[in-house]
Amino acid sequence: MDNSDETARLFPPPDRLRNESHVKSMDDYKEMYKRSVEDPEGFWGDIAKQFYWKRSNIYQMDGGCQNKHLLQCYRPAYKNGQGDKIAFFWEGNDPADHDSGNITYSQLKDKICKFANILKQSGLKKGDRVAIYMPMILELTVAMLACARLGIIHSIVFAGFSAESLADRILDGQCSAIVTADGVWRGHLLPKGHNVQQNGDYVDYPEEKPAQRPTRSLKVLDDGLELYHAQKINWTDGRDVWWHDVMGTASTDCEPEWMDAEDPLFMLYTSGSTGKPKGVLHTVGGYMLYSATTFKYAFDYQPDDIYWCTADVGWITGHTYVAYGPLNNGATSIIFEGTPFFPDAGRFWAIIEKYKVTKFYTAPTAIRALMRYGDEYVTKYDRSSLKVLATVGEPINPEAWLWYHNVVGNKQCAVVDTFWQTETVRGSLHEVEVLTPTKPGSATFPFFGIVPVIMSDEGVEITEPNVEGYLVFKQPWPGLMRTVYGDHERYETTYFKKFPGYYCTGDGAKRDEDGYIWVTGRIDDMVNVSGHLLSTAEIESALVEHPTVAEAAVVSHPHKIKGECTYCFVTLKEGKEFSDALVKELMDRVRKKIGPFAQPDFVQNAPGLPKTRSGKIMRRVLRKIAVGDKNVGDITTMADETVIDKLFQLRPPEA
Ligand code: 6R9
């Protein structure tokens, strides 16, 4: 199948979604957008009025990009007026596991208050940090929101991280307690209590900082989850308590701690694909407002929606679009503990059929992985409830976009590509996509309040179409991170130093002649071939369009004459053979698609790619493999280290 004609097409919004949309036309969007950037105080001030504030909600922003949002007001109270509406359907790893998992808004509120009281009784208070290291179970959201209720800064560490990564984050955040579970089901049972125990007992804590060792550990073992009993836990009396022991008797009344809008809400470490992880800090007012508003408009949230974001709460996407965004809108959504491949590759679509999901949000890497199994896994399930299909995490290649649109969405859904970052909470491109005519692979237009600029290396704003540069944002917006925890200088150097007065995303982008923005990947993934700046994402997309290729990752490789050239790793679809003829075909395809200068010099077979646990391809490791350097650096965040040896074995002899 060659989709090259289709990729150039403009896909109009599906008519059936137009009527219910919050914003009625592209002209309305433009008007709202204009006000959001010209009068941010007025625009966000009006939105803030929809929240509950203890005092006034005067909203002030300064003109520079040092994000001084002076909200002279208090945090919105946790929304608890939804009564019997389901807040979450919980779907366990085992399809037979779901029954005990549904929770209404009032039940959720009661649990949050109970757990907040437990935190209080443990001596924890406003401003303290609490680490949360839990699988995708309801108790995870209860724990995070209980922290928020008391003004305790939660630092959630994705449950797939190792003991060492967890320890690093606990120390860096100076957390005084940890909430955890003793196991996690991902296809099979993985012990987790063990990692925490290592934290307390085996991982070396610097002796000079003994106070930073967590003093409290609250372990989760809720009723009905008896399987967790199977896990061996190292227990310290006086320090550890079981969730089920304390939750039963705790009171369901707990007055929220009233917070200033600029007080911290949570910290979250950015994925470790580059250097030391950064503790990204978000604040109460700005984050709540922005996550709620982006949720409402980006997915065009309607009260009868069944919404599902597949991201783990351990990542920013889960924080924002599993927890805060949906809950602040009173939405019903799904929390899924398992994987898309268990019991088979039809699991996502089975869940969509079961709950009649209307809005679905996942990652391109999941889409590409599922495409490999063929369409039957999708088409055997009823997906007629679906209206919006969204993606996040990396540029979506047109091939995957079209499969998502044509096969999953049956050409009936709006496909929404959302570009954003842990740091920006939707420093988003794309807005009310339900209305936007889309181009496969483009993140379209900016969300309210965002002024994207394509910047040259020399710091000159690029206005010409189709010229790549740095993607930067020109003025502040409520959801921008406020600091790197404990290292404000790093915050300023990382994000504001290269282009003073602008927030630098670290990504490359270009704007086409119709004003659509195309994110081309991290700037550090750019390759300069004979003076031509090439985007590795663009080459990957060309490769993945080939019918045999499931996934591709392209890195820079030194070249005597061209300076740099491209080295491509390709993962083939099930049952496909790698051959010299295929290598030639792939090289030709890139040459044809982008230009002769872009023709790759190397194409290597890659049965698996090195990825972080959040699914991001670790290109710095691939760069080492490409040059045959066995010293691949820090791989503690890698999901499966065994792929590395295999890739070294499969290097083409001429590389
Ligand atoms: C939300 C999230 C942020 C980086 C970002 C960019 C890449 C995310 C993207 C995308 C192209 C998209 N990214 N969404 N690139 N199109 N729709 O993923 O946050 O984990 O902090 O990653 O991910 O490179 O800079 P985070």
PDB file of all heavy atoms in Angstrom, residues 43 57 137 139 142 146 165 168 265 318 340 365 379 458 473 564 567:
ATOM      1  N   PHE A  43      -8.756  36.746  29.198  1.00  0.00           N
ATOM      2  CA  PHE A  43      -9.144  35.425  28.674  1.00  0.00           C
ATOM      3  C   PHE A  43      -9.107  34.369  29.776  1.00  0.00           C
ATOM      4  O   PHE A  43     -10.087  33.675  30.039  1.00  0.00           O
ATOM      5  CB  PHE A  43      -8.205  35.037  27.527  1.00  0.00           C
ATOM      6  CG  PHE A  43      -8.560  33.731  26.883  1.00  0.00           C
ATOM      7  CD1 PHE A  43      -9.469  33.685  25.834  1.00  0.00           C
ATOM      8  CD2 PHE A  43      -7.987  32.539  27.321  1.00  0.00           C
ATOM      9  CE1 PHE A  43      -9.804  32.466  25.234  1.00  0.00           C
ATOM     10  CE2 PHE A  43      -8.314  31.321  26.728  1.00  0.00           C
ATOM     11  CZ  PHE A  43      -9.219  31.299  25.681  1.00  0.00           C
ATOM     12  N   ASN A  57     -10.341  36.171  41.842  1.00  0.00           N
ATOM     13  CA  ASN A  57      -9.524  35.487  40.849  1.00  0.00           C
ATOM     14  C   ASN A  57      -8.911  36.473  39.856  1.00  0.00           C
ATOM     15  O   ASN A  57      -9.004  36.296  38.656  1.00  0.00           O
ATOM     16  CB  ASN A  57     -10.340  34.417  40.124  1.00  0.00           C
ATOM     17  CG  ASN A  57     -11.549  34.987  39.446  1.00  0.00           C
ATOM     18  OD1 ASN A  57     -11.919  36.118  39.725  1.00  0.00           O
ATOM     19  ND2 ASN A  57     -12.152  34.231  38.556  1.00  0.00           N
ATOM     20  N   ILE A 137      -3.773   1.700  39.288  1.00  0.00           N
ATOM     21  CA  ILE A 137      -4.946   1.294  40.059  1.00  0.00           C
ATOM     22  C   ILE A 137      -5.572   2.567  40.620  1.00  0.00           C
ATOM     23  O   ILE A 137      -4.921   3.618  40.672  1.00  0.00           O
ATOM     24  CB  ILE A 137      -4.579   0.291  41.178  1.00  0.00           C
ATOM     25  CG1 ILE A 137      -3.446   0.827  42.058  1.00  0.00           C
ATOM     26  CG2 ILE A 137      -4.199  -1.051  40.567  1.00  0.00           C
ATOM     27  CD1 ILE A 137      -3.060  -0.101  43.199  1.00  0.00           C
ATOM     28  N   GLU A 139      -6.194   3.557  43.475  1.00  0.00           N
ATOM     29  CA  GLU A 139      -5.527   4.131  44.650  1.00  0.00           C
ATOM     30  C   GLU A 139      -4.452   5.142  44.253  1.00  0.00           C
ATOM     31  O   GLU A 139      -4.096   6.025  45.037  1.00  0.00           O
ATOM     32  CB  GLU A 139      -4.920   3.010  45.504  1.00  0.00           C
ATOM     33  CG  GLU A 139      -5.949   2.148  46.228  1.00  0.00           C
ATOM     34  CD  GLU A 139      -6.680   1.172  45.318  1.00  0.00           C
ATOM     35  OE1 GLU A 139      -6.267   0.978  44.151  1.00  0.00           O
ATOM     36  OE2 GLU A 139      -7.683   0.589  45.783  1.00  0.00           O
ATOM     37  N   VAL A 142      -6.233   8.333  43.962  1.00  0.00           N
ATOM     38  CA  VAL A 142      -6.647   8.726  45.317  1.00  0.00           C
ATOM     39  C   VAL A 142      -5.453   9.342  46.050  1.00  0.00           C
ATOM     40  O   VAL A 142      -5.548  10.414  46.654  1.00  0.00           O
ATOM     41  CB  VAL A 142      -7.203   7.511  46.106  1.00  0.00           C
ATOM     42  CG1 VAL A 142      -7.419   7.869  47.575  1.00  0.00           C
ATOM     43  CG2 VAL A 142      -8.496   7.019  45.474  1.00  0.00           C
ATOM     44  N   ALA A 146      -5.201  13.172  47.199  1.00  0.00           N
ATOM     45  CA  ALA A 146      -5.152  13.423  48.645  1.00  0.00           C
ATOM     46  C   ALA A 146      -4.000  14.377  48.949  1.00  0.00           C
ATOM     47  O   ALA A 146      -4.129  15.284  49.777  1.00  0.00           O
ATOM     48  CB  ALA A 146      -4.985  12.108  49.398  1.00  0.00           C
ATOM     49  N   SER A 165      16.449   4.363  40.040  1.00  0.00           N
ATOM     50  CA  SER A 165      15.852   5.595  39.516  1.00  0.00           C
ATOM     51  C   SER A 165      14.878   6.172  40.533  1.00  0.00           C
ATOM     52  O   SER A 165      14.794   7.391  40.708  1.00  0.00           O
ATOM     53  CB  SER A 165      15.076   5.323  38.232  1.00  0.00           C
ATOM     54  OG  SER A 165      15.864   4.610  37.338  1.00  0.00           O
ATOM     55  N   ASP A 168      16.898   7.881  43.235  1.00  0.00           N
ATOM     56  CA  ASP A 168      17.413   9.177  42.764  1.00  0.00           C
ATOM     57  C   ASP A 168      16.349  10.255  42.888  1.00  0.00           C
ATOM     58  O   ASP A 168      16.622  11.377  43.314  1.00  0.00           O
ATOM     59  CB  ASP A 168      17.779   9.108  41.273  1.00  0.00           C
ATOM     60  CG  ASP A 168      19.066   8.354  41.052  1.00  0.00           C
ATOM     61  OD1 ASP A 168      19.781   8.104  42.045  1.00  0.00           O
ATOM     62  OD2 ASP A 168      19.336   8.006  39.880  1.00  0.00           O
ATOM     63  N   LEU A 265       1.955  22.452  43.012  1.00  0.00           N
ATOM     64  CA  LEU A 265       0.967  21.371  43.058  1.00  0.00           C
ATOM     65  C   LEU A 265       1.691  20.019  43.027  1.00  0.00           C
ATOM     66  O   LEU A 265       1.435  19.141  43.817  1.00  0.00           O
ATOM     67  CB  LEU A 265       0.009  21.482  41.865  1.00  0.00           C
ATOM     68  CG  LEU A 265      -0.998  20.351  41.674  1.00  0.00           C
ATOM     69  CD1 LEU A 265      -1.953  20.245  42.864  1.00  0.00           C
ATOM     70  CD2 LEU A 265      -1.802  20.552  40.392  1.00  0.00           C
ATOM     71  N   GLY A 318      -0.510  11.207  31.706  1.00  0.00           N
ATOM     72  CA  GLY A 318      -1.428  10.599  32.661  1.00  0.00           C
ATOM     73  C   GLY A 318      -1.845  11.580  33.753  1.00  0.00           C
ATOM     74  O   GLY A 318      -3.007  11.634  34.145  1.00  0.00           O
ATOM     75  N   PRO A 340      -1.456  -3.167  25.837  1.00  0.00           N
ATOM     76  CA  PRO A 340      -2.279  -3.346  24.641  1.00  0.00           C
ATOM     77  C   PRO A 340      -2.174  -4.738  24.030  1.00  0.00           C
ATOM     78  O   PRO A 340      -2.935  -5.079  23.129  1.00  0.00           O
ATOM     79  CB  PRO A 340      -1.735  -2.305  23.658  1.00  0.00           C
ATOM     80  CG  PRO A 340      -0.585  -1.641  24.290  1.00  0.00           C
ATOM     81  CD  PRO A 340      -0.439  -2.120  25.687  1.00  0.00           C
ATOM     82  N   THR A 365       3.705   5.275  19.028  1.00  0.00           N
ATOM     83  CA  THR A 365       4.475   4.032  19.150  1.00  0.00           C
ATOM     84  C   THR A 365       3.533   2.845  19.369  1.00  0.00           C
ATOM     85  O   THR A 365       3.743   1.757  18.827  1.00  0.00           O
ATOM     86  CB  THR A 365       5.557   4.155  20.261  1.00  0.00           C
ATOM     87  OG1 THR A 365       6.297   2.965  20.305  1.00  0.00           O
ATOM     88  CG2 THR A 365       4.982   4.448  21.621  1.00  0.00           C
ATOM     89  N   THR A 379     -10.849  -4.663  13.554  1.00  0.00           N
ATOM     90  CA  THR A 379     -12.168  -4.629  12.914  1.00  0.00           C
ATOM     91  C   THR A 379     -13.164  -5.604  13.544  1.00  0.00           C
ATOM     92  O   THR A 379     -14.359  -5.455  13.374  1.00  0.00           O
ATOM     93  CB  THR A 379     -12.047  -4.906  11.403  1.00  0.00           C
ATOM     94  OG1 THR A 379     -11.285  -6.108  11.232  1.00  0.00           O
ATOM     95  CG2 THR A 379     -11.336  -3.765  10.695  1.00  0.00           C
ATOM     96  N   GLU A 458      20.413  31.512  14.679  1.00  0.00           N
ATOM     97  CA  GLU A 458      20.942  32.835  15.049  1.00  0.00           C
ATOM     98  C   GLU A 458      19.937  33.659  15.841  1.00  0.00           C
ATOM     99  O   GLU A 458      20.203  34.825  16.165  1.00  0.00           O
ATOM    100  CB  GLU A 458      21.332  33.632  13.798  1.00  0.00           C
ATOM    101  CG  GLU A 458      22.472  33.038  12.977  1.00  0.00           C
ATOM    102  CD  GLU A 458      22.031  31.854  12.128  1.00  0.00           C
ATOM    103  OE1 GLU A 458      20.893  31.877  11.604  1.00  0.00           O
ATOM    104  OE2 GLU A 458      22.806  30.887  12.015  1.00  0.00           O
ATOM    105  N   PHE A 473       8.288  29.341  22.049  1.00  0.00           N
ATOM    106  CA  PHE A 473       7.023  30.016  22.366  1.00  0.00           C
ATOM    107  C   PHE A 473       7.320  31.405  22.918  1.00  0.00           C
ATOM    108  O   PHE A 473       8.186  31.581  23.760  1.00  0.00           O
ATOM    109  CB  PHE A 473       6.204  29.194  23.363  1.00  0.00           C
ATOM    110  CG  PHE A 473       5.804  27.847  22.827  1.00  0.00           C
ATOM    111  CD1 PHE A 473       5.949  26.704  23.600  1.00  0.00           C
ATOM    112  CD2 PHE A 473       5.281  27.709  21.543  1.00  0.00           C
ATOM    113  CE1 PHE A 473       5.584  25.450  23.114  1.00  0.00           C
ATOM    114  CE2 PHE A 473       4.914  26.463  21.042  1.00  0.00           C
ATOM    115  CZ  PHE A 473       5.072  25.341  21.827  1.00  0.00           C
ATOM    116  N   GLU A 564      27.984  14.655   7.917  1.00  0.00           N
ATOM    117  CA  GLU A 564      27.157  13.642   8.567  1.00  0.00           C
ATOM    118  C   GLU A 564      26.337  12.933   7.494  1.00  0.00           C
ATOM    119  O   GLU A 564      26.096  13.499   6.426  1.00  0.00           O
ATOM    120  CB  GLU A 564      26.163  14.295   9.536  1.00  0.00           C
ATOM    121  CG  GLU A 564      26.759  14.822  10.825  1.00  0.00           C
ATOM    122  CD  GLU A 564      25.715  15.610  11.634  1.00  0.00           C
ATOM    123  OE1 GLU A 564      24.677  15.036  11.976  1.00  0.00           O
ATOM    124  OE2 GLU A 564      25.957  16.802  11.891  1.00  0.00           O
ATOM    125  N   TYR A 567      21.863   7.064   9.308  1.00  0.00           N
ATOM    126  CA  TYR A 567      21.962   5.643   9.581  1.00  0.00           C
ATOM    127  C   TYR A 567      20.581   5.218  10.086  1.00  0.00           C
ATOM    128  O   TYR A 567      20.096   5.757  11.066  1.00  0.00           O
ATOM    129  CB  TYR A 567      23.042   5.428  10.653  1.00  0.00           C
ATOM    130  CG  TYR A 567      23.435   3.995  10.902  1.00  0.00           C
ATOM    131  CD1 TYR A 567      24.693   3.518  10.546  1.00  0.00           C
ATOM    132  CD2 TYR A 567      22.565   3.119  11.534  1.00  0.00           C
ATOM    133  CE1 TYR A 567      25.076   2.208  10.792  1.00  0.00           C
ATOM    134  CE2 TYR A 567      22.938   1.808  11.776  1.00  0.00           C
ATOM    135  CZ  TYR A 567      24.193   1.359  11.410  1.00  0.00           C
ATOM    136  OH  TYR A 567      24.553   0.060  11.659  1.00  0.00           O
TER     137      TYR A 567
END
